[in-house]
C-alpha cells in the first residue's frame, strides 16, 4: 500500500518534468504540428511560431492550388493594424508589379499611400470638382451595356428607397434608360430622371400602359434617384465623368471621406462608384487588388452586397483579388436575420474568401469566429490576446500566426495614431495634378 501523496500517487508517478523551448525549436521537434512556411509572394513578416519569413501572394497560391480563390477577409478590433497590413500588402504588391484599387476610402487614409507610389486619388464630395458617371459603359455590346446600366440603376434606386423595386418599377426604369440612351450615347442620371418624368408614349403603349400611368409608377423611383441630382449627393454622380481611369496607374483610390459619417450616402456613393469601377476595370488587365477597407460600413446594404457578390464572381476572370476589412465576423450577421437572403449573401462573401486573417477579437466574438472559420481550441484561445500587428492566417488546410513587420518608410504612410500621440500627421505628398 502506498500512502496518499506518495511517489506512486495517481497523477504524480507518470508526470514528466516540464520542458521549455522556443517555438522555433519545438517546430523542429514536432514538424507535423506546424504548417510548412509560406514562401510564395511578397514578404509580410515572420511566422510567430517558427520565426521563419512569411510571404503571401493570392494569385500564385491560387495557381499552386493552395487557395480555392484569391479573395481575403481581414477582421480585427479597432486599432490592431488591419489597415496597416492592407496598405503594406498594397505597397509591396505594387513593387511586385500588381495594381491596387480602393473603390471607397471613407476615412481618407489611403491617399498618402497612393501618393507614395505615384497613384491617383479621386476625391468625391460636396463642393469638390470631380464627377463620375456611374452609367459609363464597360462593354461594347449594346445589350450588355444596357443590362449593366439597368442593374446599376436598380441597385442605386434600391439603396435610396430602402427596398427592392417592384416589377412595374423595373419596367419603368428599363423604358426610361432606353429612351435616355436613344438621345445620348452615354446617358447620365439626370437624363434618366428626365425620361422618367416624360415617358416615351410608344414604349408605354407597347407595355400596355398610358403615359400618366408610367409617370405615376416611376414617381417613387424618381424621388429616390433625385437625391443624386438635387440632394446631398448632388454634383458627384450627375454628369459626365470628369476623370478617366488611367489603366497604367499603380494605384487608384476613391476618397469618400468628404461624405462624413452618413452611412447611407456612403452606400449610394459606393454603389455608383462600383459602376464606374466596373467600366474602369474592364478597360485594364493584369493582377489587381481591390481593397474594401472599413467594409463593415457597407455590409448593411443588401443591394450593395449583391453588387459586391456579383463583382466577386467575376474576379477570377478579371485577375482580381478582393480584400474585405471588417471588425468582427458578426459584422456579416448584422445585415439580416438568420435564413434571410441578405444573410445568405453575406455568408456567401465569407465563403468566397479562401484566406481569412483574424486579428484580436473581443471575447464575446470568439464563438462566432470559431464556428465561421473552423478554429481549433488553441487558435480560438489565441484571438483575445493577439498583440497589435499579429494575426491568425487561415488558409485551406493550414494556419499561421504572423507578425506583420512594417518598414520604417511604410510607417510614415500608414500611421493613423498621430492624433492620439499628439503628433501632427505627416503632411500628405500631393500627386501631380489630375485633370478634373
Ligand atoms: N505591424 C505593426 N507594427 C507597428 N505598428 C503598427 C503595426 N500595425 C499597425 N501599426 C500602427 O498601429 C496604428 C493603428 O493601425 P491601423 O490604423 O492599421 O489599425 P486598424 O486595425 O485599421 O484600425 P481601425 O479599425 O480603427 O481602422 C497605426 O498608427 C499603425 O502605424
Ligand atoms: Mg483601419
Amino acid at each position: 500500500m502506498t500512502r496518499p501523496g506518495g511517489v506512486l500517487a495517481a497523477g504524480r508517478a507518470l508526470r514528466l518534468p516540464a520542458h521549455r523551448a522556443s517555438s522555433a525549436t519545438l517546430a523542429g521537434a514536432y514538424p507535423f504540428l506546424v504548417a510548412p512556411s509560406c514562401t510564395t509572394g511578397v514578404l509580410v513578416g515572420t511566422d510567430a511560431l517558427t520565426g521563419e519569413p512569411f510571404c503571401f501572394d493570392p494569385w500564385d497560391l491560387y495557381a499552386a492550388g493552395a487557395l480555392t480563390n484569391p479573395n481575403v477577409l481581414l477582421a480585427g478590433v479597432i486599432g490592431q493594424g488591419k489597415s496597416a497590413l492592407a496598405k503594406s500588402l498594397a505597397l509591396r504588391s505594387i513593387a511586385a508589379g500588381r495594381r491596387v484599387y480602393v473603390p471607397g476610402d471613407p476615412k481618407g487614409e489611403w491617399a498618402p499611400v497612393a501618393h507614395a507610389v505615384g497613384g491617383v486619388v479621386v476625391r468625391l464630395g460636396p463642393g469638390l470638382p470631380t464627377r463620375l458617371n456611374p452609367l459609363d459603359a464597360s462593354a461594347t455590346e449594346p445589350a450588355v451595356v444596357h443590362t449593366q446600366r439597368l442593374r446599376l440603376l436598380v441597385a442605386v434606386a434600391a439603396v435610396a428607397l430602402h427596398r427592392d423595386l417592384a416589377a412595374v418599377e423595373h419596367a419603368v426604369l428599363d423604358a426610361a434608360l432606353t429612351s435616355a440612351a436613344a438621345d445620348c450615347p452615354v446617358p447620365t442620371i439626370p437624363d434618366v430622371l428626365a425620361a422618367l418624368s416624360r415617358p416615351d408614349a410608344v414604349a408605354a403603349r407597347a407595355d400596355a400602359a398610358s403615359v400618366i400611368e408610367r409617370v405615376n409608377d416611376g414617381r417613387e423611383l424618381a424621388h429616390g434617384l433625385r437625391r443624386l441630382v438635387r440632394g446631398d449627393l448632388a454634383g458627384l454622380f450627375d454628369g459626365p465623368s470628369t476623370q478617366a481611369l488611367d489603366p497604367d496607374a499603380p494605384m487608384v483610390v476613391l476618397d469618400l471621406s468628404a461624405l462624413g459619417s452618413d452611412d447611407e450616402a456612403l452606400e449610394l456613393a459606393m454603389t455608383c462608384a462600383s459602376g464606374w469601377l466596373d467600366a474602369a476595370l474592364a478597360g485594364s488587365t493584369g493582377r489587381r487588388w481591390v481593397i474594401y477597407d472599413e467594409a463593415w460600413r457597407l455590409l448593411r446594404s443588401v443591394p450593395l452586397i449583391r453588387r459586391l457578390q456579383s463583382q466577386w464572381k467575376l474576379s477570377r476572370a478579371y485577375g482580381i483579388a478582393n480584400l474585405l476589412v471588417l471588425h468582427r465576423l458578426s459584422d456579416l450577421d448584422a445585415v439580416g436575420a438568420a435564413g434571410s437572403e441578405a444573410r445568405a449573401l453575406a455568408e456567401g462573401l465569407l465563403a468566397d474568401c479562401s484566406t481569412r486573417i483574424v486579428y484580436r477579437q473581443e471575447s464575446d466574438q470568439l464563438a462566432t469566429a470559431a464556428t465561421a472559420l473552423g478554429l481549433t481550441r488553441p487558435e480560438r484561445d489565441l484571438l483575445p490576446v493577439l498583440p497589435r500587428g499579429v494575426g491568425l492566417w487561415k488558409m485551406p488546410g493550414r494556419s499561421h500566426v504572423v507578425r506583420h513587420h512594417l518598414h520604417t518608410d511604410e510607417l510614415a504612410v500608414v500611421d493613423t495614431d498621430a492624433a492620439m500621440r499628439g503628433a501632427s500627421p505627416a503632411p500628405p505628398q500631393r500627386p501631380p495634378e489630375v485633370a478634373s
Side-chain angles (χ1 to χ4, degrees):
M1 278 280 287
T2 50
R3 280 176 290 122
V7 286
L8 293 180
R12 290 188 63 185
L14 299 176
R15 182 175 287 172
L16 293 171
H19 175 71
R20 275 170 170 258
S22 73
S23 50
T25 307
L26 286 173
Y30 297 97
F32 43 87
L33 290 181
V34 180
S37 64
C38 197
T39 51
T40 308
V42 296
L43 182 71
V44 176
T46 46
D47 189 315
L49 296 182
T50 63
E52 288 187 30
F54 178 88
C55 304
F56 185 70
D57 180 285
W59 298 276
D60 289 347
L61 287 167
Y62 175 75
L67 298 177
T68 50
N69 62 59
N71 303 321
V72 179
L73 178 113
L74 169 55
V77 297
I78 290 171
Q80 288 306 296
K82 303 178 297 294
S83 300
L85 175 65
K87 290 167 189 168
S88 250
L89 276 174
L91 288 165
R92 297 172 193 184
S93 300
I94 287 169
R98 319 292 193 217
R99 281 197 283 274
V100 177
Y101 295 91
V102 181
D105 171 18
K107 287 191 188 164
E109 58 177 290
W110 280 80
V113 187
H115 296 157
V117 293
V120 176
V121 180
V122 180
R123 269 201 94 209
L124 280 176
L128 296 173
T130 309
R131 270 195 175 82
L132 301 181
N133 182 6
L135 302 182
D136 278 350
S138 65
T140 46
E141 176 65 35
V144 179
V145 171
H146 181 79
T147 308
Q148 286 176 340
R149 286 177 176 155
L150 186 59
R151 285 199 181 135
L152 183 104
L153 285 170
V154 167
V156 172
V159 173
L161 296 175
H162 304 284
R163 62 167 173 81
D164 284 341
L165 301 197
V168 70
E169 289 174 318
H170 265 272
V172 168
L173 202 50
D174 190 3
L177 177 62
T178 307
S179 137
D183 295 339
C184 171
V186 185
T188 59
I189 291 201
D191 297 333
V192 174
L193 272 174
L196 279 173
S197 59
R198 286 192 301 279
D200 181 75
V202 179
R205 254 198 316 279
D207 285 349
S210 69
V211 167
I212 302 288
E213 281 168 338
R214 271 270 145 103
V215 172
N216 285 336
D217 290 340
R219 200 176 295 282
E220 280 198 43
L221 271 181
H223 282 304
L225 292 178
R226 208 163 279 131
R227 183 167 172 197
L228 298 167
V229 177
R230 271 195 255 136
D232 51 340
L233 296 178
L236 276 63
F237 301 104
D238 53 359
S241 294
T242 56
Q243 178 109 36
L245 185 98
D246 172 7
D248 297 324
M251 187 167 193
V252 177
V253 172
L254 198 60
D255 181 342
L256 298 175
S257 56
L259 294 178
S261 57
D262 181 348
D263 280 348
E264 201 183 314
L266 182 73
E267 284 162 21
L268 274 172
M270 286 284 295
T271 311
C272 289
S274 69
W276 179 80
L277 184 78
D278 276 353
L281 285 175
S284 66
T285 51
R287 293 170 167 184
R288 289 153 294 174
W289 277 109
V290 176
I291 299 179
Y292 299 91
D293 203 349
E294 301 283 306
W296 56 274
R297 284 184 66 186
L298 309 174
L299 290 174
R300 299 173 191 164
S301 158
V302 177
L304 194 52
I305 299 180
R306 258 189 224 127
R307 269 195 82 75
L308 280 183
Q309 209 180 35
S310 68
Q311 275 176 335
W312 284 32
K313 295 277 172 232
L314 295 173
S315 56
R316 276 181 301 124
Y318 280 148
I320 290 170
N322 295 289
L323 170 58
L324 195 66
V325 183
L326 307 175
H327 282 150
R328 51 189 90 82
L329 288 151
S330 58
D331 287 342
L332 290 167
D333 299 345
V335 68
S340 63
E341 183 219 353
R343 188 74 162 262
L345 283 167
E347 282 163 6
L349 278 185
L350 175 65
D352 283 344
C353 291
S354 198
T355 306
R356 288 96 180 259
I357 308 167
V358 196
Y359 274 33
R360 179 141 99 221
Q361 294 288 302
E362 299 296 0
S363 32
D364 63 344
Q365 293 298 314
L366 300 182
T368 316
T371 315
L373 304 179
L375 303 183
T376 62
R377 185 79 209 190
E379 286 171 347
R380 177 193 146 127
D381 293 345
L382 199 60
L383 295 187
V385 294
L386 286 172
R388 174 184 267 182
V390 180
L392 172 67
W393 289 58
K394 293 282 291 178
M395 290 180 259
R398 64 202 287 170
S399 306
H400 298 270
V401 178
V402 178
R403 187 179 302 280
H404 166 222
H405 291 292
L406 274 171
H407 189 272
T408 41
D409 289 348
E410 290 177 324
L411 260 174
V413 290
V414 309
D415 187 8
T416 54
D417 265 355
M420 293 302 288
R421 290 192 309 270
S424 51
Q429 302 156 22
R430 288 278 148 220
E433 281 304 308
V434 282
S436 59

